[in-house]
Amino acid sequence: MAPYSLLVSRLQKALGVRQYHVASVLCQRAKVAMSHFEPNEYIRYDLLEKNINIVRKRLNRPLTLSEKIVYGHLDDPANQEIERGKTYLRLRPDRVAMQDATAQMAMLQFISSGLPKVAVPSTIHCDHLIEAQLGGEKDLRRAKDINQEVYNFLATAGAKYGVGFWRPGSGIIHQIILENYAYPGVLLIGTDSHTPNGGGLGGICIGVGGADAVDVMAGIPWELKCPKVIGVKLTGSLSGWTSPKDVILKVAGILTVKGGTGAIVEYHGPGVDSISCTGMATICNMGAEIGATTSVFPYNHRMKKYLSKTGRADIANLADEFKDHLVPDSGCHYDQLIEINLSELKPHINGPFTPDLAHPVAEVGSVAEKEGWPLDIRVGLIGSCTNSSYEDMGRSAAVAKQALAHGLKCKSQFTITPGSEQIRATIERDGYAQILRDVGGIVLANACGPCIGQWDRKDIKKGEKNTIVTSYNRNFTGRNDANPETHAFVTSPEIVTALAIAGTLKFNPETDFLTGKDGKKFKLEAPDADELPRAEFDPGQDTYQHPPKDSSGQQVDVSPTSQRLQLLEPFDKWDGRDLEDLQILIKVKGKCTTDHISAAGPWLKFRGHLDNISNNLLIGAINVENGKANSVRNAVTQEFGPVPDTARYYKKHGIRWVVIGDENYGEGSSREHAALEPRHLGGRAIITKSFARIHETNLKKQGLLPLTFADPADYNKIHPVDKLTIQGLKDFAPGKPLTCIIKHPNGTQETILLNHTFNETQIEWFRAGSALNRMKELQK
Ligand code: SF4
């Protein structure tokens, strides 16, 4: 059986679809399924068009591509206030994707909502929890063993609530999305920061926290600050050693890690056509490193080719019909414009310790010498969601083949992480994997592995200074191997391969020679490889579980004694009274990110267990009273102790508490645990000088009161030993400040005003105890 027919027959079996032929799908131009896996969920270009027309009439100006896709998904396009960088948009995304680490809490919250099924097509992908140790199959077996209960929970919850489940070994979430679910014009949210990868197929794909995913799965409009748009005009064309990765490495060097914040990066111009679809995905993927909301490319023939090769020619045909809405209007306005001539672009390598420290490959060796960075490359790593396409593997194999022809192998260790089972099987079939093994590589599991610190590295001791080069996206301190002395550089997979062969950062494949086994000098030719396999993709092993049509008898596996998973109890409703005599758990001094509120690292394994992970509550925040982290006064015993223990003491004794914070409280990743934990341990309000917006919304969703001092100087009026009463909740209304009475231990009192940003809906969340509780009330 030919591989593609095999895939289709598997799909038919998985979906229970009879007489499901590719030809019949290809003919359905008017009604085209969003993916093979959801034959009854159709692409709504008609709705996109209708909404774009409404908005275009209102704004009366040319629109960028990202505006078309974003505004085309507005909940109320006729009345939505639209001002880039200012207003908040209410959107209706088409689908949701979750990776296994973040899906746990998202699914637990969804279960707690009481809804029977997800409202939009959604999927779970098992990729983050697989450790790289010995190589593909062994590592996969070990991961299945260690994480069995988490996988089991996700599989059974997916089956129960209508969520597709991609088993461990299926591949990395963003590759699976690109191969199966992304399409031009889609609005997709994913609980992972590199969700923007789907922009390579012309979609607006945005990384979010689990609470946002729950909203969308529950059918609630999703809020996004109207993004600004940064245009990147590409001219010329890619050639030689220069690759798509060099485009984003260059952009990162220009914009830095914060330059894209609040904006969508929109690529356009004649240079776009010289980049493959998977290459465009690489560029969008790494847009996360400049803080961009997402990145996107206009629909073109390279996307059409990719869609056709991945069995979605019907989507490409439909996109052709609606092409006007899948490219920017001419004359549209960008908030910032960057121009890059691809013909002049040179191979880049960025790092160490930050992805925006850009160097041309030709210069990195001398910079490293000057800076004292180790020149010897210990390990070269290719793959990850950023660079693991068929083309990437082909270009790396083309470099490796030349070294082998001269009797050379890699001087450095070399690992390969295929992005998906389909890529793994196809590069095995086409011989690339063997070439990469022959040159000294180890093919790891189709998973995140070393990219997310799941790397059981044996070749160095912690603290040993060393250099690695990767084709991944992030290279912050300790990201790959938890060793703060590892100098990680990011570059394209073909440059990683060339550097791993040479073993030194001083090697520039464009100009330098290697010495073959015969003692003769030779130069590596620039790699040339097919963008897509000539034959069909080999789907490899069947790793997908489609939810059953009838899931009424399906049980969700969560053991009551589990240390990693815990079903959520609904939070208590507001009792209708003002919040009196709140104890101050901690008055935080200075920066307090979501990492300070809910630390990562070893706590990751408890992401599905709210009570266990709550033992990290605010352990990184600095207490104003003693300048220490994780040391606060227990107002009853007067003893200092860890923050979580003190919160638990208060909870046990029925004492409600509040946190006092400084500026931009809750910045950082949009981790919903940072809002769930204080609520779980009895917190009622967080009062700060200002909030990071996403965290503020997350707090509201969990029924907490995020409030700000009307006069920021009032922060200084509150002492950790005071008690606070928050008044005015009976008349809680948008824009109406609340009153706070500060009761000092000496019996004196002061009254201050507290502002809030609650709207009517969010006030209902507060009254119900949480957004989920409110959702349940509405169902009744
Ligand atoms: S490969 Fe790395 S960047 Fe990509 S999803 Fe996995 S951990 Fe994230």
Side-chain angles (χ1 to χ4, degrees):
M1 190 185 283
Y4 182 59
S5 346
L6 177 68
L7 174 66
V8 171
S9 81
R10 278 179 190 164
L11 285 171
Q12 289 174 340
K13 204 169 130 217
L15 304 171
V17 178
R18 285 172 176 237
Q19 309 289 322
Y20 178 69
H21 294 297
V22 180
S24 67
V25 177
L26 297 183
C27 293
Q28 293 174 20
R29 288 201 172 183
K31 265 186 157 191
V32 171
M34 287 167 76
S35 85
H36 290 305
F37 300 98
E38 294 121 356
N40 300 318
E41 301 282 352
Y42 301 110
I43 293 178
R44 294 298 312 275
Y45 282 153
D46 54 334
L47 188 59
L48 189 81
E49 181 173 62
K50 187 173 151 221
N51 290 351
I52 291 172
N53 289 340
I54 293 170
V55 173
R56 193 197 299 283
K57 215 167 159 189
R58 286 180 53 203
L59 299 183
N60 194 26
R61 62 169 169 81
L63 299 174
T64 66
L65 169 60
S66 43
E67 285 186 305
K68 287 182 184 181
I69 303 175
V70 172
Y71 304 160
H73 285 83
L74 282 170
D75 182 49
D76 183 2
N79 299 302
Q80 170 74 59
E81 249 191 283
I82 299 170
E83 194 177 346
R84 286 189 204 166
K86 291 249 162 59
T87 56
Y88 286 92
L89 308 176
R90 283 161 64 84
L91 299 165
R92 293 278 179 188
D94 297 302
R95 63 181 310 129
V96 173
M98 295 167 278
Q99 42 97 330
D100 48 2
T102 49
Q104 297 169 53
M105 191 49 80
M107 286 311 292
L108 286 164
Q109 290 181 81
F110 186 80
I111 292 169
S112 167
S113 76
L115 290 167
K117 290 270 182 223
V118 291
V120 301
S122 305
T123 47
I124 295 170
H125 303 262
C126 296
D127 56 2
H128 275 59
L129 301 177
I130 300 169
E131 196 175 40
Q133 198 184 49
L134 300 167
E137 279 188 24
K138 284 183 190 147
D139 292 348
L140 190 57
R141 264 203 305 278
R142 191 159 162 269
K144 283 180 183 169
D145 195 36
I146 295 171
N147 302 307
Q148 193 191 10
E149 69 166 325
V150 173
Y151 292 148
N152 215 20
F153 163 68
L154 294 174
T156 52
K160 178 84 183 168
Y161 297 101
V163 180
F165 178 68
W166 289 83
R167 295 188 187 95
S170 54
I172 306 169
I173 175 169
H174 311 305
Q175 273 300 315
I176 304 279
I177 297 293
L178 199 72
E179 289 170 2
N180 300 281
Y181 298 115
Y183 59 82
V186 69
L187 178 62
L188 178 152
I189 62 155
T191 58
D192 189 272
S193 14
H194 294 96
T195 304
N197 194 69
L201 250 181
I204 292 287
C205 304
I206 301 178
V208 298
D212 285 359
V214 175
D215 282 355
V216 178
M217 291 194 291
I220 297 173
W222 171 64
E223 266 195 17
L224 176 75
K225 190 171 196 178
C226 188
K228 293 191 170 186
V229 191
I230 297 174
V232 179
K233 184 175 179 187
L234 301 178
T235 56
S237 62
L238 284 182
S239 63
W241 283 91
T242 307
S243 75
K245 184 72 159 249
D246 299 309
V247 177
I248 184 61
L249 294 181
K250 177 81 182 167
V251 171
I254 297 169
L255 286 175
T256 79
V257 287
K258 281 191 188 150
T261 307
I264 294 181
V265 180
E266 189 171 310
Y267 294 85
H268 61 281
V272 168
D273 284 347
S274 74
I275 307 173
S276 64
C277 176
T278 50
M280 292 190 263
T282 295
I283 295 168
C284 292
N285 175 301
M286 235 190 115
E289 271 49 70
I290 51 168
T293 302
T294 191
S295 305
V296 70
F297 276 84
Y299 176 61
N300 70 357
H301 71 279
R302 305 297 285 258
M303 294 183 193
K304 184 175 172 127
K305 200 167 161 187
Y306 184 79
L307 283 168
S308 304
K309 199 63 173 183
T310 49
R312 294 173 288 169
D314 51 343
I315 295 182
N317 292 336
L318 190 70
D320 282 343
E321 287 180 29
F322 286 85
K323 184 159 184 188
D324 283 354
H325 302 303
L326 304 173
V327 296
D329 288 341
S330 69
C332 64
H333 171 73
Y334 295 105
D335 295 286
Q336 185 180 350
L337 186 63
I338 294 168
E339 273 197 54
I340 296 176
N341 183 343
L342 299 178
S343 304
E344 291 170 0
L345 187 64
K346 285 288 180 193
H348 274 65
I349 181 164
N350 288 19
F353 306 123
T354 182
D356 57 354
L357 188 54
H359 322 272
V361 170
E363 291 168 21
V364 69
S366 48
V367 178
E369 270 180 326
K370 214 163 63 200
E371 298 289 336
W373 304 330
L375 287 172
D376 278 357
I377 296 167
R378 298 296 285 262
V379 192
L381 306 98
I382 63 167
S384 90
C385 62
T386 322
N387 270 120
S388 55
S389 66
Y390 186 79
E391 184 183 39
D392 289 330
M393 294 298 155
R395 282 171 69 85
S396 296
V399 174
K401 213 170 161 180
Q402 297 178 56
L404 288 168
H406 289 84
L408 294 188
K409 286 196 167 205
C410 290
K411 284 203 177 131
S412 315
Q413 289 181 48
F414 185 44
T415 70
I416 300 104
T417 311
S420 69
E421 171 58 6
Q422 177 166 278
I423 291 290
R424 184 207 62 76
T426 310
I427 64 167
E428 283 291 355
R429 182 197 66 193
D430 293 354
Y432 292 165
Q434 194 51 47
I435 295 170
L436 296 170
R437 271 195 288 263
D438 287 347
V439 83
I442 296 176
V443 179
L444 300 171
N446 318 318
C448 300
C451 183
I452 188 70
Q454 295 278 51
W455 186 14
D456 189 11
R457 193 173 171 192
K458 305 280 190 212
D459 65 306
I460 51 147
K461 290 201 185 76
K462 202 164 178 179
E464 198 180 319
K465 203 166 165 182
N466 74 103
T467 286
I468 62 171
V469 288
T470 84
S471 73
Y472 304 167
N473 42 36
R474 291 208 163 143
N475 58 351
F476 295 117
T477 307
R479 162 89 178 177
N480 305 108
D481 59 2
N483 179 3
E485 286 302 323
T486 293
H487 293 53
F489 294 83
V490 290
T491 183
S492 68
E494 50 269 47
I495 295 287
V496 171
T497 309
L499 292 177
I501 291 165
T504 170
L505 273 185
K506 283 203 87 173
F507 181 67
N508 175 11
E510 284 195 308
T511 52
D512 296 346
F513 287 80
L514 291 167
T515 308
K517 210 175 169 190
D518 55 6
K520 288 188 185 151
K521 292 200 178 295
F522 72 99
K523 231 171 108 213
L524 293 169
E525 294 297 324
D528 187 25
D530 290 335
E531 154 184 6
L532 291 161
R534 291 175 192 189
E536 300 293 345
F537 270 113
D538 180 344
Q541 294 183 32
D542 187 3
T543 49
Y544 176 67
Q545 170 195 295
H546 195 70
K549 267 197 186 129
D550 177 10
S551 61
S552 50
Q554 176 73 50
Q555 294 296 315
V556 176
D557 293 345
V558 178
S559 160
T561 57
S562 171
Q563 291 304 301
R564 292 187 66 179
L565 295 163
Q566 181 188 41
L567 289 172
L568 295 171
E569 293 290 327
F571 292 130
D572 55 329
K573 272 183 80 156
W574 176 53
D575 60 10
R577 304 209 306 263
D578 285 336
L579 296 173
E580 288 182 6
D581 292 333
L582 298 172
Q583 201 67 57
I584 294 168
L585 176 67
I586 179 171
K587 182 177 175 185
V588 178
K589 184 177 162 192
K591 204 174 182 69
C592 190
T593 68
T594 46
D595 262 324
H596 294 98
I597 305 168
S598 175
W603 297 95
L604 282 182
K605 61 177 175 289
F606 296 123
R607 278 201 168 174
H609 197 295
L610 180 54
D611 197 52
N612 280 348
I613 201 168
S614 294
N615 287 329
N616 74 3
L617 175 69
L618 284 157
I619 59 175
I622 301 301
N623 180 8
V624 99
E625 195 177 357
N626 56 9
K628 289 184 183 170
N630 204 21
S631 172
V632 291
R633 181 197 298 270
N634 180 318
V636 181
T637 66
Q638 293 302 315
E639 285 171 13
F640 280 83
V643 186
D645 296 15
T646 311
R648 282 188 194 277
Y649 179 98
Y650 290 158
K651 184 178 180 182
K652 189 171 162 201
H653 293 85
I655 301 168
R656 294 184 294 182
W657 51 264
V658 60
V659 170
I660 307 299
D662 213 316
E663 299 278 7
N664 208 18
Y665 183 93
E667 64 182 295
S669 77
S670 67
R671 197 167 298 158
E672 74 260 59
H673 293 86
L676 280 159
E677 290 176 30
R679 181 73 163 106
H680 172 64
L681 293 187
R684 294 307 287 127
I686 314 286
I687 305 172
T688 69
K689 290 185 188 168
S690 65
F691 283 98
R693 192 196 72 84
I694 294 175
H695 184 59
E696 184 182 22
T697 308
N698 284 347
L699 290 168
K700 291 176 186 170
K701 283 184 180 163
Q702 303 308 340
L704 279 149
L705 282 173
L707 305 169
T708 51
F709 297 106
D711 177 359
D714 288 346
Y715 171 87
N716 298 321
K717 290 184 179 163
I718 297 180
H719 304 288
V721 288
D722 296 337
K723 285 188 177 177
L724 307 182
T725 291
I726 297 170
Q727 294 181 329
L729 290 170
K730 283 196 187 115
D731 305 314
F732 198 11
K736 189 171 174 190
L738 297 167
T739 306
C740 176
I741 300 170
I742 308 167
K743 298 180 183 172
H744 302 299
N746 63 7
T748 59
Q749 293 189 356
E750 289 180 81
T751 301
I752 59 171
L753 281 184
L754 299 175
N755 286 335
H756 65 84
T757 57
F758 279 78
N759 60 30
E760 293 287 1
T761 307
Q762 292 165 340
I763 289 171
E764 292 303 325
W765 297 347
F766 170 74
R767 291 195 175 119
S770 71
L772 284 180
N773 288 1
R774 178 62 187 147
M775 204 186 297
K776 277 194 247 182
E777 286 177 1
L778 291 171
Q779 282 172 59
K780 285 178 198 158

